[in-house]
Every structure is written in C-alpha cells, then in structure tokens.
C-alpha cells in the first residue's frame, strides 16, 4: 500500500524544515554570545520563579513576626538560616517577598506589553495602510501623547484614578501603545506598495487578508524586539510608581514597593532596599541585552555580520 504526497504536503514539510533550520541558526547565534546567553538564562529563571512562586517561596510573603523583624541575611552576624535574605521591618521573609515580587513585576510588564502591542500594532498598521484622514487623525493623537513624558503622564493619571495593580496596567498600556503604533505605521508605509502587496491586491485578496497574511509577518520581528525593550521600560516604570506609592500597594509584594519600604533603614538595614533594587537592575539589564541580540538575530544584515 502506497501513500501519495500532495503538493501541499511537500510545501508544509519544507516549511517545517526551514523553520527548524532557522531555529537552529538562532540558537547557535545565541550560544556564541556569552552575554546574551547569560541574559537569556536569567530571564528563563525569572519566568520559572514567577510561575512557581507558591512552591519556591519558603514562607508566606505577608506573614508577620515582630520577634524576627530586621533580621539580617544568613551570612551576616546575627542572621538566621531560616531567613536566607533576612526579614523586613515587620518580620516578613525577604526571599519570599522578592519571589512574589518577581511574579508581580513580570506579570504587570507582560500584560502591559501584550495590551499595548496589540492596540498599537493594529492602529499603526491601519494608519500606514489606509492613509488619508484616519492616518492624519491617528498621527496627531500619537504626536500629542508622545510630547508628554511617559513617566510624568503615568504618575499624573495614577494620582488621579488611584493606585493599584489593575490601574497601573491600564495606565502603562495607554502610555506604551503609541511606540508600537509609530513603528508599525512606519514599516507599513515602506511596504504597502511592495510587489507582493500589489500582487495580493490584484488577485482579489481582501484588505484584511492582505494585512494579516502579507503585511503582519514583515512586522513581526521588529514588533517582538520592541516588545522586549518595552517590557524593560514597563518594569522600571512600575518599580518607580510603586516606590512613590502610586503603584502596587501593601500587603502585595513588588520590587519598587520593597525599595520604598526600606529606604528609611538604608543605614541600619541596607538589605531591605539592596536586594529588590538588584532584582530590578538585573532584570532590566538582562532584558536589554537579550533585546539587543534579538534585534541583530532577526535582521538579515546584522545576522550576516554576526
């Protein structure tokens, strides 16, 4: 009994093979860059920590014990092995709060990037493809919002509507979508008269089909790279607003909030602010390093040089 392969089967097999080869090339490029590999490993570990926070956390991050307040880290004189990174001013375990702070910070950053990326990409693609009045109105609104400093805009709106994780996600999404819109519009303007777009239009393809099937794949690499960079900015902004009391509120754990809670004790209990501050620095630095590699790896010209 023989089975005949159709042309679609052959095409699908070839596409899968090409995708496997592309993935192999990306991984090989990544492993040849020790800084990018280290950044990728750190980000993977942070994601695992955020997902498995209830399992990895040795204590309840909100459990208080005034008898154990301001216990130093285990390697410092007076420290306890039960509290590896010490305790805060209410006796809460610092390691547990940092683990749950990882979940909170990454969750807010990822949700903000997804919402802003979807809204901004759709508006930017439509503005660049349709042009005319829609493009003019969208760009004037984008220019107006871009003229206002991002952090100042977020701080003003948060002060008006009140702090909280949900409000923070909404505000940061409203402030980030314009970056995606400008990039998507610029790329769309450069490809809307390309040969393959014109060919799809001549063959009777609908506007929706042209945008999704032909235009969007050409935006994917740049949008993904921008999303990685925006994730870093969202985490930094969340930490800054939480430090000012306009972001995540107690008893929740967030890195910026933990830095704010410990800044009054910086001379006597520096671990309260040092560890969460290091987490913000390491996370954002790793994201930026990985985003730099991703931009080069997805650009054919840069990839050839690499």
């Amino acid at each position: 009994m023989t089975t005949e392969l159709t042309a679609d089967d052959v095409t699908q097999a070839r596409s899968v093979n090409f995708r496997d080869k592309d993935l192999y090339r990306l991984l090989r490029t990544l492993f040849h860059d020790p800084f990018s590999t280290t950044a990728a490993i750190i980000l993977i570990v942070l994601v695992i920590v955020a997902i498995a926070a209830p399992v990895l956390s040795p204590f309840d991050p909100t459990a208080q014990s005034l008898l154990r307040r301001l216990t130093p880290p285990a390697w410092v004189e007076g420290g306890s092995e039960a509290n590896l990174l010490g305790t805060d001013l209410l006796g809460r375990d610092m390691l547990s709060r940092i683990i749950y702070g990882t979940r909170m910070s990454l969750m807010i950053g990822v949700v903000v990037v997804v919402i802003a990326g979807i809204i901004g990409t759709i508006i930017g693609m439509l503005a660049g493809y349709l042009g005319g009045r829609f493009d003019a109105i969208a760009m004037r609104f984008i220019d107006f919002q871009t003229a206002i400093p991002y952090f100042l805009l977020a701080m003003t709106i948060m002060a008006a509507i009140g702090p909280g994780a949900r409000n923070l996600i909404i505000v940061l999404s409203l402030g980030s979508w314009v970056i995606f819109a400008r990039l998507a519009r610029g790329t769309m303007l450069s490809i809307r008269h390309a040969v393959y777009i014109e060919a799809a239009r001549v063959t009777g393809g609908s506007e929706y089909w042209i945008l999704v099937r032909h235009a969007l794949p050409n935006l994917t690499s740049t949008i993904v790279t921008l999303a990685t960079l925006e994730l870093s900015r969202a985490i930094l902004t969340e930490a800054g607003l939480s430090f000012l009391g306009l972001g995540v509120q107690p008893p929740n754990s967030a890195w910026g909030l933990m830095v704010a809670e410990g800044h009054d004790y910086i001379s006597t209990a520096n671990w309260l602010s040092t560890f969460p501050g290091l987490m913000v620095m390491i996370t954002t630095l790793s994201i930026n390093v990985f985003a730099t590699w991703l931009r080069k790896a997805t650009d054919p010209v840069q990839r050839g040089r690499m």
Side-chain angles (χ1 to χ4, degrees):
M1 181 177 179
T2 60
T3 303
E4 295 183 358
L5 294 176
T6 64
D8 292 338
D9 294 333
V10 175
T11 302
Q12 183 177 3
R14 288 178 178 176
S15 64
V16 172
N17 188 29
F18 289 153
R19 286 196 295 268
D20 292 341
K21 290 182 179 179
D22 291 339
L23 179 61
Y24 172 74
R25 292 193 188 100
L26 285 176
L27 292 178
R28 186 177 62 180
T29 304
L30 177 62
F31 292 148
H32 278 77
D33 187 342
F35 292 103
S36 300
T37 303
T38 303
I41 293 174
I42 292 175
L43 293 178
I44 292 173
V45 171
L46 289 174
V47 171
I48 294 175
V49 169
I51 295 174
V55 178
L56 298 176
S57 178
F59 297 97
D60 183 351
T62 61
Q64 302 179 11
S65 176
L66 296 181
L67 296 177
R68 296 186 294 117
R69 68 186 300 268
L70 298 180
T71 300
W75 58 85
V76 179
E77 183 180 359
S80 171
E81 293 184 358
N83 304 108
L84 185 62
L85 299 183
T87 61
D88 64 2
L89 65 161
L90 295 177
R92 296 172 294 190
D93 182 61
M94 285 292 295
L95 178 59
S96 301
R97 289 182 62 77
I98 287 177
I99 290 175
Y100 273 86
T102 304
R103 164 180 279 194
M104 178 65 70
S105 297
L106 290 184
M107 183 271 295
I108 292 176
V110 170
V111 173
V112 166
V113 168
V114 170
I115 295 175
I118 292 175
I119 296 175
T121 302
I122 292 175
I123 294 177
M125 288 180 63
L126 291 176
Y129 184 77
L130 299 177
R133 182 174 299 178
F134 181 84
D135 182 32
I137 295 175
M139 286 308 299
R140 296 296 77 75
F141 187 81
I142 291 173
D143 291 339
F144 172 77
Q145 185 169 332
T146 306
I148 305 175
Y150 175 72
F151 189 82
L152 178 61
L153 176 65
M155 186 172 60
T156 303
I157 298 178
M158 287 300 296
I161 66 176
R166 183 172 60 182
N167 291 343
L168 187 59
I169 291 174
I170 295 174
V171 170
L172 295 183
S173 301
L174 292 176
S176 298
W177 72 271
V178 294
I179 308 297
F180 291 92
R182 292 180 71 94
L183 179 64
R185 175 184 177 271
T187 307
M188 196 69 222
L189 286 174
S190 64
I191 67 174
R192 67 175 179 177
H193 294 304
V195 176
Y196 58 91
I197 298 291
E198 296 292 345
R201 189 179 295 114
V202 169
T203 55
S206 64
E207 305 295 338
Y208 172 80
W209 176 255
I210 292 174
L211 287 173
V212 174
R213 182 65 179 83
H214 299 284
L216 186 58
N218 289 277
L219 295 171
T220 302
S221 62
T222 54
I223 293 298
V224 169
T225 304
L226 178 62
T228 308
L229 291 172
E230 283 299 301
L231 176 61
S232 174
R233 187 170 74 145
I235 292 175
L236 278 175
T237 307
E238 177 273 322
L241 292 173
S242 297
F243 178 82
L244 296 175
L246 299 173
V248 179
Q249 296 296 296
N252 295 319
S253 300
W255 293 334
L257 178 62
M258 295 174 67
V259 173
E261 291 174 344
H263 81 282
D264 289 335
Y265 298 85
I266 194 66
S267 59
T268 57
N270 56 69
W271 63 88
L272 299 181
S273 297
T274 300
F275 294 134
L278 285 175
M279 290 302 298
V280 174
M281 183 193 71
I282 292 172
T283 302
T284 54
L285 180 61
S286 300
I287 292 174
N288 287 328
V289 171
F290 183 75
T292 301
W293 168 83
L294 187 62
R295 178 183 60 82
K296 295 179 180 179
T298 54
D299 184 356
V301 177
Q302 294 290 336
R303 185 168 62 244
R305 295 175 180 175
M306 293 171 65

